[in-house]
Amino acid sequence: MEGAGAGWPEPVVRVQSLSESGAATIPGRYVKPEAERPSSAAPAAGPGGATAEGIPVVDLSSPGDPATARAVSEACRDWGFFQAVNHGVPPELLRRARGVWRGFFRQPMEVKQRYANSPATYEGYGSRLGVEKGAVLDWGDYYFLHVRPPRLFDPDKWPHLPPDLRETTEEYSREVAALCGRLMTAMSVGLGAGPSRLQEAFGGAEGAGVCVRVNYYPRCPQPELTLGLSSHSDPGGMTVLLADDRVRGLQVRRRGAWVTVDPVPGAFIVNVGDQIQVLTNATYRSVEHRVMVNAAEERLSVALFYNPRSDLPLAPLPELVSPERPSLYSPMTFDEYRLFIRSKGPRGKSQVESLKAAAVGAAR
Ligand code: OGA
Ligand code: NI
C-alpha cells in the first residue's frame, strides 16, 4: 500500500533518511513541547547541580545467593533499574548482537523497507510507536521481533541480512531469556516468596513472551529539541537492555529529576516493567525513562522484553495484599494492556496509573 501505508495514520518517514539528508534543522513534528525537551531536566541533586548518584550495580556471579536476591530486590524497590555485571552472557555474544544489528541498519534503504512494519503487530522495521494522527514523533527507528512463544515466531518477519543476524539474535535471545529466568528467581526470593512464585504468575517459563526491540538513534542536528524515545515505562514484565558501548543517552526518572545512565562496560541495564509492578502490588517499581540523542554520533541499543503469558489476567499476588496494603490494581491481561502504548505511543506512567484509578474506583 502507498501513502499512509499499512495502517499508519501518516506516510512513514525514516529518521535515518532525515539524518542522512544533512539538513541543519529537524522537521516540526519531531520538536517536543518545551517541558519535555532534554534541557528541561530538573536541577539534579547535590552541590553544583551534578548528581554523583547512578543506578545501582548488581553482581550476579552467584545468582542463587540470598545476598544477590537482596541486592536485586533493593534495586527494584528503590530505583526500578540496575546494571547487571557478571551476568553470565558471554561478552563475545554481546559484541556479535550489536554487530549484526548495526549491519542491518547499514543496509540500503530499499532492503530495510522490505520489512516495514504495521501497527497490527509492530513486527519489523518501524519509525513510530502509536497511531495518533499529528503526534509529535521520536528521533529513532527500530526493529521489533517476537521470539517467543513459538506461535508468535514468524521467520518472514526477520531480516535476511546480514546473513548471521538470525542465528545470532536467536542465540542472544536464548541466553538473555535464561538470564531473565535467573532474575525472576532473585526478584521472587527478594519478595519473601518462593523462588518460582513470580515465574508461575507469568504463566511459567514456557508461557513467557520474549520480544526484542533494536533501537537505532541516528545523529540529530538539533538534539536539544527532541528525544530518541519519549518518557515511558515498559509495559511488560522486565527489560534487559544492551546499551550502546560508546554513546550514552538513556535517562531514568529519579525523584523528579533525570539521571543519565553511565553504562558499565559489558553490563546489562535491567528494569522492572509495569506487569511486575502490578504483580508485586508496587513493591517493585516500573520507572519512567527516556532517551536523548546527539549531533555527533548515532546510538544503537538492543532491548529484550520478558513478558508474562499474554492471556492471563494479572493482578497483585494475594500474599502481597493485606488490609494495610490493599490491592492497587484491577486485573488485566497483557494482550489488553499493551494496546495502550501501541495506539497512544509512549506516555510516561499514565497507563499503570490508570489501572490504579480503576482499582480504587472498583473498591468504592
Ligand atoms: C526501550 C527503551 C532505551 C534505550 O526500548 O523501551 O527504553 O536506551 N530503550 O534505547
Ligand atoms: Ni523502555
Side-chain angles (χ1 to χ4, degrees):
M1 204 190 349
E2 293 298 316
W8 298 109
E10 288 133 2
V12 174
V13 177
R14 303 303 174 184
V15 175
Q16 187 174 7
S17 304
L18 292 173
S19 176
E20 288 172 1
S21 77
T25 60
I26 63 175
R29 58 190 316 212
Y30 296 89
V31 177
K32 302 291 176 188
E34 222 156 302
E36 292 173 24
R37 293 180 194 166
S39 51
S40 78
T51 171
E53 217 185 12
I55 65 173
V57 176
V58 177
D59 185 338
L60 296 180
S61 45
S62 312
D65 274 14
T68 307
R70 269 197 303 277
V72 166
S73 174
E74 182 57 33
C76 293
R77 289 167 204 254
D78 187 28
W79 281 81
F81 263 87
F82 61 92
Q83 302 204 50
V85 298
N86 299 321
H87 44 64
V89 183
E92 154 279 331
L93 184 54
L94 310 192
R95 265 197 307 279
R96 277 197 283 139
R98 286 189 182 104
V100 293
W101 283 100
R102 283 193 197 285
F104 172 77
F105 286 100
R106 274 198 295 263
Q107 298 291 319
M109 191 51 79
E110 65 268 21
V111 171
K112 295 194 285 272
Q113 291 289 21
R114 282 182 218 151
Y115 305 94
N117 74 345
S118 91
T121 68
Y122 275 90
E123 292 163 282
Y125 180 44
S127 295
R128 69 186 284 166
L129 189 51
V131 292
E132 299 209 333
K133 209 174 164 76
V136 177
L137 300 181
D138 290 338
W139 191 264
D141 300 324
Y142 64 85
Y143 205 102
F144 181 74
L145 283 170
H146 284 289
V147 182
R148 283 195 214 160
R151 94 187 130 76
L152 292 182
F153 173 85
D154 179 356
D156 290 346
K157 298 282 191 346
W158 287 56
H160 296 78
L161 293 170
D164 49 347
L165 180 144
R166 288 176 180 231
E167 208 180 81
T168 300
T169 306
E170 288 187 48
E171 184 182 348
Y172 178 84
S173 304
R174 224 174 13 249
E175 289 282 336
V176 179
L179 168 63
C180 290
R182 301 193 287 276
L183 289 169
M184 291 286 279
T185 303
M187 285 183 191
S188 208
V189 170
L191 286 170
S196 53
R197 187 68 184 100
L198 262 186
Q199 192 68 268
E200 280 161 16
F202 264 44
E206 292 315 300
V210 174
C211 306
V212 169
R213 180 176 151 121
V214 184
N215 297 293
Y216 176 70
Y217 307 102
R219 292 186 298 136
C220 178
Q222 295 180 296
E224 66 288 354
L225 298 183
T226 191
L227 290 169
L229 188 51
S230 293
S231 173
H232 66 284
S233 60
D234 292 343
M238 80 166 94
T239 304
V240 174
L241 183 85
L242 177 63
D244 196 283
D245 47 351
R246 297 185 300 259
V247 185
R248 297 193 308 171
L250 176 63
Q251 293 188 312
V252 174
R253 180 95 99 174
R254 172 74 165 170
R255 304 196 171 117
W258 289 104
V259 175
T260 302
V261 175
D262 209 350
V264 173
F268 283 117
I269 297 163
V270 179
N271 65 288
V272 173
D274 293 346
Q275 304 310 309
I276 285 184
Q277 173 166 324
V278 167
L279 284 171
T280 65
N281 207 19
T283 306
Y284 294 161
R285 299 186 305 126
S286 75
V287 167
E288 278 179 73
H289 51 286
R290 67 180 189 181
V291 175
M292 296 184 299
V293 290
N294 74 89
E297 281 172 297
E298 63 185 32
R299 180 171 178 273
L300 181 108
S301 69
V302 182
L304 182 138
F305 303 116
Y306 191 78
N307 298 328
R309 228 182 89 162
S310 63
D311 57 354
L312 295 176
L314 299 186
L317 298 174
E319 60 267 41
L320 298 177
V321 175
S322 65
E324 296 73 49
R325 197 173 169 80
S327 170
L328 290 170
Y329 307 106
S330 39
M332 191 182 271
T333 68
F334 184 52
D335 273 335
E336 293 165 326
Y337 192 90
R338 70 169 149 206
L339 290 177
F340 179 101
I341 192 164
R342 290 182 170 199
S343 62
K344 300 191 178 174
R347 296 210 176 170
K349 286 205 69 171
S350 61
Q351 185 178 17
V352 72
E353 291 300 325
S354 71
L355 262 190
K356 200 178 231 170
V360 172
R364 264 196 220 116

